Amino acid sequence: MHGRCTVAATKQAEPNGIGTCGSCGDYLGRELFGPDSAAMRRRAEEYIKAVPPYPEGRYQGRGVVVANSGDRSITGLYVAIRALRHLGCSLPIQVWYLGRNAVLSAKEKGVLAPFQVECVDVDKIRRRHATRQLDGGELKVFATLHSPFEEVLFLDAHCYPCRNPEFLFEREDYCAQGAVFWPQVDATDTRLKWAAFGLASPRRLGTVDSDEFLFHKALSWRPLHLAWFYHDHSNYYDRYCRLDKHTLEVAWTHCAQRFVMWQPTSRRVDAGCLHNGPDFLPLIVNRYADPFSFASHGAFAPQQNELSSSSSALPLERECWDWLAELARLMGQTRFFARTTAIKELPPCRWRKISGDGSILCSSEKLVYAPNRVAPDMCRNCTFPDHVAAPVYQPHYPIPLEFGMAAPYSIYEPPKTRTKSKRAIAIATLYTPEIAELGQLTSQAMRAYAERHGYTAVVARSSLDLTRHPYWSKIVLVEHYLVHHPSCQWLMWMDADAVITNPAKPLEDFLEKDTDFIVAEDGVTPINSGVFLMRNCAATIYVLRRAYAKITHITHYLPEQMAISEALLESGKAVATRIVSRRLLNSFAHEHQEGDFIIHFAAMPNAMKLAGANEAIASTYANVLGLLPAKTWQTKASNRRS
């Protein structure tokens, strides 16, 4: 890249102290007889200079383009198109497919026809445009560039909207910048080698996911063409990036053109991820890890589950499986998740029935609705095989768990030398042995904050209900403590992966006379129950018991969060609930800024949570080292000195 070595030797030294190109971070390997990076950069510059001006009048109106490159994508296509029409989207829809691969038969085109869908054979369009290579990875940009629409919403075949997306075309930020991208699950991606494109990394938080995007061609003309150049030379650039993911981001950066991306990361779910809209609520579902499929189709990408399965965490999930069953009948297929061999491996269950099309129906009232179509994996991992041992709790009574005379948690009262808060306030947390190192660290910081303001600290060091996931134990702990300590007026719950980063701010600043429950918004569910404040009164205790009684959510990946959300909704005006922005009460790690009250390392690997908590506590609680584990603080102190 440099032509001659301009990098300090210390940055490219091998263990023997000798500098080599291979150890240089900017080194780009290449084929012996292929082009080098300098030659490719020159070609890219020449190409972008030769791009003609935007052809006024060639493209008209707005539309949706869906790419169908895989041999089983009719299932995803059908679900995406049904979702668009079901949500009231009236935009014209084009499906672009590779005709040479016969991925869209005449019968499949007939199935899509009632929904005003135009099917476009890419190979016929290709004859009018010189291309070096055009396969599935290149199809996204090619279809967008040559579609007849001036404004294009692109969706890959395994993506579908859960709200009508037409409002996006009217947004001021989109109209000003001409491009909207959605992020990948991870905030950074080391597979993208910016040096191969002659660019320095912009070091922005968030990397573009090209499975869905929104373009105004007149405003995105040059970067869109440059992205096509990268795709058209995929045999070279594919070594330095994920071609179908990174080229759009690189092209926009190269042209110094801004784009809209409302969040730096997407929300990971079992089936893939959820992309939020500008209001931070789910807008597009990307089922890349568990796409819909029929039994006769082979998998072409790694999947989360052995068989396509239902995920209750996803919006429109019930409707999607109904549409898939509809397509199965039209195509004469049995659904992939209903194979006989998989059903035979399942444990016996008196609630399971097999419908005429081979799908599994569960008629137990303990699921969200009955009868419920479920996948074999869901039956195989059911918490209550045969549903015999599943108790039904009555929310009008205390949670039926007995702990004897000793409480299953530790209580730390503030020292008498400290001035107590005018209100009796407690702060509670819980961690299990699996995350003991993280829990000990964050609970000590929580105790330091409680002592500073004269609050009571409550810490549990193991799950309180061994029949459920530890998530549920927060409900058990809070209910038990408030019932047995009626003098406590308010309690704040904190997950073990949350740290108070503004310890000078007292909890009284959040409390209001006419509010009973204070919690932050989430994005996937209405609230995030990792941090909340609640008044100790009969109405809020009833909410906790009602939430604990919702065993329909036991298999949900956010079980207690869904249960508390529903219980608060069902409480109506009996509980005055205030839902605030996350920045006010419960900032996630990627959005946290200086001065925010709490940083919450949600949905991150434990190692990253521990590292983040160490860093947050080291910078915030340096004056209370005596309350924290000596080993941890010695390590952080040495890091700061270095």
Side-chain angles (χ1 to χ4, degrees), residues 19-34:
T20 65
C21 287
S23 57
C24 177
D26 290 331
Y27 176 71
L28 300 172
R30 65 181 179 86
E31 296 179 1
L32 184 61
F33 300 105

Side-chain angles (χ1 to χ4, degrees), residues 285-468:
V285 179
N286 188 338
R287 290 190 65 115
Y288 64 86
D290 189 16
F292 297 116
S293 62
F294 288 145
S296 61
H297 291 257
F300 61 89
Q303 295 192 36
Q304 179 75 18
N305 302 308
E306 173 191 1
L307 305 171
S308 297
S309 61
S310 176
S311 174
S312 59
L314 298 178
L316 284 185
E317 188 72 356
R318 180 176 182 175
E319 290 85 351
C320 288
W321 286 95
D322 287 341
W323 296 329
L324 193 60
E326 179 180 272
L327 179 62
R329 290 192 296 271
L330 293 172
M331 299 297 297
Q333 297 273 7
T334 57
R335 278 180 284 177
F336 188 53
F337 67 75
R339 299 295 293 169
T340 304
T341 53
I343 295 172
K344 290 180 179 179
E345 298 173 358
L346 300 176
C349 178
R350 57 184 169 139
W351 302 108
R352 187 188 304 121
K353 297 180 181 179
I354 308 301
S355 66
D357 61 357
S359 60
I360 303 174
L361 302 180
C362 180
S363 57
S364 170
E365 71 277 4
K366 296 180 177 64
L367 291 180
V368 178
Y369 54 91
N372 184 15
R373 290 186 177 90
V374 296
D377 283 347
M378 184 176 291
C379 277
R380 186 179 298 114
N381 300 322
C382 182
T383 309
F384 305 109
D386 202 23
H387 299 281
V388 173
V392 179
Y393 299 121
Q394 296 296 328
H396 303 281
Y397 299 99
I399 295 174
L401 295 175
E402 296 294 335
F403 301 112
M405 297 297 293
Y409 43 78
S410 300
I411 301 175
Y412 302 91
E413 297 289 352
K416 294 182 180 179
T417 55
R418 291 277 183 178
T419 303
K420 277 199 170 187
S421 168
K422 294 181 181 179
R423 290 188 177 96
I425 299 176
I427 310 177
T429 191
L430 177 148
Y431 59 88
T432 58
E434 293 80 10
I435 57 168
E437 187 176 1
L438 173 66
Q440 291 170 5
L441 184 66
T442 56
S443 63
Q444 292 281 26
M446 186 196 78
R447 288 175 54 194
Y449 173 81
E451 180 179 328
R452 173 175 182 169
H453 293 280
Y455 306 144
T456 299
V458 182
V459 181
R461 296 175 176 84
S462 62
S463 181
L464 305 187
D465 183 355
L466 299 180
T467 67
R468 299 192 186 189

Side-chain angles (χ1 to χ4, degrees), residues 340-607:
T340 304
T341 53
I343 295 172
K344 290 180 179 179
E345 298 173 358
L346 300 176
C349 178
R350 57 184 169 139
W351 302 108
R352 187 188 304 121
K353 297 180 181 179
I354 308 301
S355 66
D357 61 357
S359 60
I360 303 174
L361 302 180
C362 180
S363 57
S364 170
E365 71 277 4
K366 296 180 177 64
L367 291 180
V368 178
Y369 54 91
N372 184 15
R373 290 186 177 90
V374 296
D377 283 347
M378 184 176 291
C379 277
R380 186 179 298 114
N381 300 322
C382 182
T383 309
F384 305 109
D386 202 23
H387 299 281
V388 173
V392 179
Y393 299 121
Q394 296 296 328
H396 303 281
Y397 299 99
I399 295 174
L401 295 175
E402 296 294 335
F403 301 112
M405 297 297 293
Y409 43 78
S410 300
I411 301 175
Y412 302 91
E413 297 289 352
K416 294 182 180 179
T417 55
R418 291 277 183 178
T419 303
K420 277 199 170 187
S421 168
K422 294 181 181 179
R423 290 188 177 96
I425 299 176
I427 310 177
T429 191
L430 177 148
Y431 59 88
T432 58
E434 293 80 10
I435 57 168
E437 187 176 1
L438 173 66
Q440 291 170 5
L441 184 66
T442 56
S443 63
Q444 292 281 26
M446 186 196 78
R447 288 175 54 194
Y449 173 81
E451 180 179 328
R452 173 175 182 169
H453 293 280
Y455 306 144
T456 299
V458 182
V459 181
R461 296 175 176 84
S462 62
S463 181
L464 305 187
D465 183 355
L466 299 180
T467 67
R468 299 192 186 189
H469 193 283
Y471 291 155
W472 292 93
S473 290
K474 71 173 68 172
I475 299 177
V476 178
L477 188 154
V478 174
E479 190 259 4
H480 189 277
Y481 180 82
L482 292 180
V483 168
H484 290 83
H485 297 81
S487 61
C488 177
Q489 297 175 336
W490 280 86
L491 181 142
M492 183 174 81
W493 170 265
M494 292 179 59
D495 278 356
D497 55 359
V499 178
I500 295 174
T501 53
N502 187 358
K505 188 179 185 67
L507 295 181
E508 286 85 349
D509 288 357
F510 296 99
L511 308 183
E512 297 179 356
K513 180 180 178 181
D514 299 325
T515 302
D516 303 315
F517 199 99
I518 304 170
V519 66
E521 61 188 356
D522 181 66
V524 175
T525 58
I527 64 169
N528 184 284
S529 62
V531 178
F532 60 82
L533 287 133
M534 62 173 287
R535 187 190 301 274
N536 188 3
C537 62
T540 54
I541 296 295
Y542 179 76
V543 165
L544 295 177
R545 293 172 178 173
R546 191 178 187 90
Y548 197 78
K550 291 184 175 295
I551 60 175
T552 57
H553 296 301
I554 281 181
T555 57
H556 196 282
Y557 86 107
L558 295 173
E560 93 297 348
Q561 192 158 293
M562 286 291 294
I564 294 175
S565 298
E566 286 190 8
L568 285 170
L569 183 63
E570 293 166 0
S571 68
K573 296 182 179 180
V575 176
T577 303
R578 181 186 173 203
I579 301 178
V580 301
S581 68
R582 286 199 300 267
R583 288 285 312 283
L584 181 64
L585 182 65
N586 184 10
S587 295
F588 288 173
H590 68 267
E591 62 192 5
H592 183 270
Q593 298 181 19
E594 185 177 355
D596 288 357
F597 182 56
I598 282 177
I599 183 170
H600 187 183
F601 301 98
M604 297 172 64
N606 286 335

